[in-house]
Each structure stands twice: as C-alpha cells, then as structure tokens.
Amino acid sequence: MIDSWWFWGGALILAAVGAELLARAWMMRGGYFPFVPHMRQRFELDLDTLPSLVSPVRLEINSRGERGSEPPADHEDALRILVAGGSGAECYLLDQDQAWPAVMEHSLGKARQSVGSKGNKVHVGNISRSLLTCASQAQVLEKSLVRYPKLDLVMTYVGAADVVAWLEKGTPEQVPDADLPQDFLFQQNPKTLFGGSLKSCALRRLAIRITRRSLKPVEHRQNVGRSIARNRIMRANATHWIDQVPDSTPMEQCFERNLRRMIAAVQEHGAKVMIVRQPWLNRNFTEQEKLQLWNFGHGRPLERELDTYYTLPVVRQLLETLDRVQVRVAQELDLPVLGLMDELPMDFDHFYDHFHLTPRGAAWVGQRVAEAIPDALKGTSFPRPGA
C-alpha cells in the first residue's frame, strides 16, 4: 500500500511538472501585446474627484491587445489605423466609446457609409499606454508590428510623458532609450518569467488566458480616480517650486531619436505615419483652477509623498520644445502633421487636468483627427467626414 502511494504520488508530481513545462512552452508562443488580449474591465469612477467624467467606464481589449473593437478579418477590405501614444491617447478614465480614437473610428466609418464606399469598414486600434515615453513607444512598435499583416496608417501622439518622466527623475544629464521593464511594456509577452508558486506558475496564467478568451469575464473596480485627489492635494500643499531646469538637450535628443525610431518601424512595416501633436491645457490658470493640476513633481507621486514641484512656465517651455521637434521631424521626412493647440478650446470643459481630455474634449479631438485622415492617406479615395 505504501509503495502504491509513493508510485501515484510520484506520478502526480511528474504529471504536474510536465503540464507546467508544456504550459510554459505554450505561453512562449505568440508575440508581444501591449495589453492582455480579451481583457474586460468596468470602473466606477470617484465622481467627487472627476465630476466632468461619466461613470461607469468600460475598458475592453481585443484579440490583438489593443483597446478597441475586434478587428476585421485579414482578408476584409477595411481601413486599418493604429494609435500609439501615452495616457492622453489611451483615455483610461473615459468609456470605451468616448476615447478619441474610438470617436475617430466612428466618424470615419460613418463617412464611408454615407457615400456608399465599398469595403466601408474602419478599424482603429489603440495601443497607447500611460507612462510610456517616446522611447518606450518605439520598443512597443518594433516588437508589436510584426503581428500585423496589414496597416494603412499609424498615428503618433507623444511628448507629454517624456517631459513628465524627465522632471520626475530630477532632470538627469543622461536619458536612456530603455527605462521601463519589458513586462510593463507588454502585459503579455513570450519572455515572461515564471515561478514555482501558484501565483507565478504558467499553468495558472494559461488558465486565466483561456478563461478570458472563452468566457470574457469582467473585472470590476470601485472608486477609480481617487488617487488623483491625493495627488492634487500634494501639489497644492507643495512648499518648494523649481523655476529653472538644466539644459534639456539630452531629453530632447532622446525624444527625437526615438520618434524617428517609431517612424522607421512603421514605414518598414509598409504603413503611413501621421504625427498628431499632443495638446495640453495652455492657459493662465486661476488659483482655483490650479487645484485641478497634479503633474510635474520632483519624484513620482504614486511612489512617495512629494513636496517639490516644477512651475508651469518651466513645463510649458519643455512641452513647446518637444512640439517643435515633432514639427521639424515631420517636415524633414515629409510626413503629415496635425496641430490641435490653436483650435481646441483651452478650458476645463475639454480637459480635466493638464493633459487628459473630458468626454467633450475627446469628442472634439476624435472628430478633428478624423477630418485630417484623407490628407494623411494621400491619394486614397476616402471622403472627408461631413463632406
């Protein structure tokens, strides 16, 4: 009897080890995905902190690891667009249909249908992520684009994250091209490290992946956005303000170098590039309005209490500098570029902080970007929305 226990116990252990190894081999297949495919989340926002937003919020990721609807089949005739940027394009706290890339998709699709265009489908995938600098976005595109059999256009929407990151790190003299771990850049990737615990083993993660794909469970979260209230209070209570920064050339050079990497990766894939210059809330703030701001601390507010922040004139100068870099690169490479600052209303009806859009602001940006698509595609028979 004891020998039988040992036999079956050993057999179970070997079977478990074999299953884990097979699961690891399976998980190493596939590619690099910015978001976990098939993920579904529902947020209840803290509307005391974010009264200009709408709750609840849906965040849905398609099979390609994009925030967006499921893409058409590869053989279908469709206009395929990808948006790559930071949190301003991710629109994390806006509902799935309110994010400006989704608004753009709807506007373009409606325009195609209105003229009876054959193959009138339009798909806009959004791989934009909060905290991703231009260097991080370059890595994401280089590893992600190989999964796309066809793309017509890729839009860049970058700049703000580079300024925020450089200031949070204390304006370093050297700005590296790689500043975030691979597992952060790609929530699903073939080089994820597995462990021996139940939480970190491949079998558990494979089971979650299969469940997401087949059952599409929804993760619910409450009071999302409350941390913004804390960050606003920190900034409002700051006692140290920095009104000068060292030479920003290292940050500018890193930004330009990686913007060119993004463009090269897209062009090598055979798609066109359109640079959308990221807008920010550029106005003279009242003291009450300043209480809505929370970025530009010396350090990361999510990691520790901050008492030192950079002044708004410093921030504006850096943002304008990177904006000029984008214009210059676009001109040198003969790329379409869209500026929004002169048209987008600079108020808290369209922004809920320095960079992030309200539903009204996202609707404005999505429509305006959609109107620029025909010129960006150059030569395709695609109608201007509203024409």
Side-chain angles (χ1 to χ4, degrees), residues 51-259:
S52 60
L53 303 190
V54 178
S55 184
V57 168
R58 296 174 302 122
L59 189 150
E60 300 181 353
I61 308 302
N62 64 25
S63 60
R64 282 189 176 157
E66 310 161 331
R67 186 179 190 186
S69 59
E70 195 60 24
D74 294 339
H75 67 274
E76 292 186 75
D77 182 18
L79 176 66
R80 301 165 193 265
I81 300 173
L82 192 66
V83 179
S87 60
E90 180 185 14
C91 300
Y92 181 70
L93 296 182
L94 300 188
D95 187 68
Q96 188 86 354
D97 294 333
Q98 293 175 336
W100 69 257
V103 173
M104 177 181 66
E105 177 183 88
H106 176 75
S107 177
L108 290 170
K110 187 176 180 180
R112 266 198 161 184
Q113 291 172 1
S114 69
V115 296
S117 174
K118 293 182 179 180
N120 57 19
K121 290 187 177 180
V122 177
H123 181 261
V124 178
N126 188 1
I127 59 170
S128 306
R129 292 269 308 280
S130 178
L131 303 179
L132 264 58
T133 63
C134 208
S136 295
Q137 276 294 346
Q139 295 177 64
V140 169
L141 284 175
E142 287 170 347
K143 288 186 175 293
S144 298
L145 288 178
V146 295
R147 294 187 291 103
Y148 289 84
K150 179 180 182 294
L151 276 173
D152 296 293
L153 181 69
V154 176
M155 295 181 178
T156 67
Y157 191 91
V158 294
D162 290 77
V163 172
V164 170
W166 191 61
L167 295 178
E168 285 183 345
K169 294 173 183 176
T171 63
E173 294 183 3
Q174 296 183 350
V175 182
D177 285 343
D179 58 351
L180 291 171
Q182 182 168 262
D183 280 351
F184 182 88
L185 297 180
F186 305 98
Q187 294 181 356
Q188 181 174 303
N189 69 79
K191 294 188 177 179
T192 297
L193 297 177
F194 301 105
S197 67
L198 178 62
K199 186 176 181 180
S200 61
C201 72
L203 276 172
R204 175 180 177 272
R205 297 186 186 184
L206 180 58
I208 292 173
R209 185 181 297 187
I210 293 172
T211 301
R212 280 199 177 110
R213 182 169 184 171
S214 58
L215 301 180
K216 296 180 171 54
V218 178
E219 174 190 348
H220 293 271
R221 298 177 57 195
Q222 302 291 324
N223 297 316
V224 175
R226 182 171 290 179
S227 62
I228 292 178
R230 169 183 170 271
N231 296 339
R232 286 170 175 167
I233 292 172
M234 268 197 295
R235 186 183 184 280
N237 293 336
T239 58
H240 297 88
W241 293 89
I242 302 173
D243 58 9
Q244 290 185 339
V245 292
D247 181 13
S248 62
T249 299
M251 186 263 292
E252 297 165 29
Q253 291 176 338
C254 181
F255 176 79
E256 178 175 347
R257 181 169 62 250
N258 287 288
L259 178 61

